Amino acid sequence: MLEGNRVSRISVRGLAVASATAVTAVGAVTGVASGSTAPASDDAEATASGSTLLADIPAGAQAQVQTASLTQQADSQAIAADATAKKDAEAAARKQAAKDAVAKQQAAEKAEKEAKERKEAEKVASRSATRDASSFTVKASYTAAEVQEMARQLVPADQFACFSRIVDHESSWNYQADNPTSDAYGLMQALPGSKMSSAGADWATNPATQIKWGLSYMDGRYGSPCAAWNFWQANNYY
């Protein structure tokens, strides 16, 4: 192969020299006709032989150049592919993070709702377990201890302490307490006392009716007896 390449280069170089010689010869004739001095044929051969022709590059070197070019292209494509994959992965991660955040928020809201529903159900169940005001035997009079026992059976257990504190401050558990400076009356000092008629016509003489009205008032206005007690502590009334 080396000998073949050498012959090929010689052949091409010879063709180039012959062409250059022919051109020089024509130029010489023209120069003679015009009175110009023609360049020597040796100079033309030197010029032709000084040029680097494709045939002068060995076949192995040509293959190396092509291989290097293909390798460079492959590297560039690999780098571009890696960048695209990284970009896609980052976009997917952001999308998943947003999806997880929404799911987490929804789960928290659901848990909060369920907790609220459980609390409300427990509250209702607690009140359902208490006695109704009409279930107590009507008496001509009641002691403070008897009135307190009624309240324990009518007021939810988790609210009794707060309810009791309010009654302590308002009437000291005297269901007939009558404020001489106003129309406030009864355990809760309803103002006027006739407001308690919404719980029963015997509001003036039946502590159970007064307790029923007081519990309804505290729940309706403040949400619970404990919430009413918190307000009382800040304002000295409820």
Side-chain angles (χ1 to χ4, degrees):
M1 289 298 295
L2 293 176
E3 184 64 18
N5 289 336
R6 187 180 64 79
V7 174
S8 177
R9 289 197 299 271
I10 293 173
S11 299
V12 174
R13 184 180 291 107
L15 178 60
V17 171
S19 298
T21 303
V23 172
T24 303
V26 173
V29 173
T30 303
V32 171
S34 60
S36 302
T37 303
S41 60
D42 291 341
D43 294 337
E45 182 178 357
T47 301
S49 63
S51 301
T52 301
L53 302 176
L54 178 61
D56 289 332
I57 301 176
Q62 293 181 29
Q64 292 178 359
V65 171
Q66 293 176 351
T67 300
S69 178
L70 292 174
T71 300
Q72 185 177 7
Q73 292 177 12
D75 290 343
S76 298
Q77 292 174 355
I79 293 172
D82 289 343
T84 300
K86 182 178 179 181
K87 184 177 180 181
D88 291 343
E90 291 175 349
R94 287 194 297 270
K95 184 177 181 180
Q96 186 62 43
K99 185 177 180 180
D100 292 343
V102 171
K104 185 177 181 180
Q105 182 178 1
Q106 291 176 342
E109 291 175 352
K110 182 179 179 181
E112 182 179 0
K113 182 179 179 181
E114 290 176 349
K116 185 176 181 181
E117 290 175 349
R118 284 195 301 270
K119 185 176 181 180
E120 188 63 26
E122 291 172 357
K123 186 176 181 181
V124 172
S126 177
R127 291 183 180 178
S128 297
T130 61
R131 296 177 59 182
D132 185 80
S134 62
S135 65
F136 293 97
T137 302
V138 177
K139 298 172 62 174
S141 64
Y142 303 86
T143 65
E146 289 175 329
V147 175
Q148 288 177 341
E149 184 58 30
M150 285 182 179
R152 288 184 185 278
Q153 297 183 52
L154 292 171
V155 179
D158 63 336
Q159 297 294 315
F160 177 77
C162 297
F163 184 92
S164 178
R165 291 188 184 100
I166 292 176
V167 177
D168 281 339
H169 284 281
E170 293 294 333
S171 65
S172 299
W173 293 95
N174 179 6
Y175 68 99
Q176 293 178 318
D178 190 359
N179 193 322
T181 61
S182 68
D183 292 330
Y185 184 86
L187 294 170
M188 270 66 63
Q189 287 294 284
L191 183 63
S194 59
K195 291 170 63 174
M196 293 186 290
S197 62
S198 61
D202 59 350
W203 59 270
T205 59
N206 191 341
T209 299
Q210 294 183 15
I211 293 169
K212 179 181 177 181
W213 177 87
L215 182 59
S216 176
Y217 172 79
M218 294 176 194
D219 284 344
R221 186 175 180 85
Y222 301 100
S224 69
C226 284
W229 171 239
N230 289 337
F231 183 88
W232 197 100
Q233 288 179 293
N235 301 278
N236 291 322
Y237 73 92
Y238 73 109

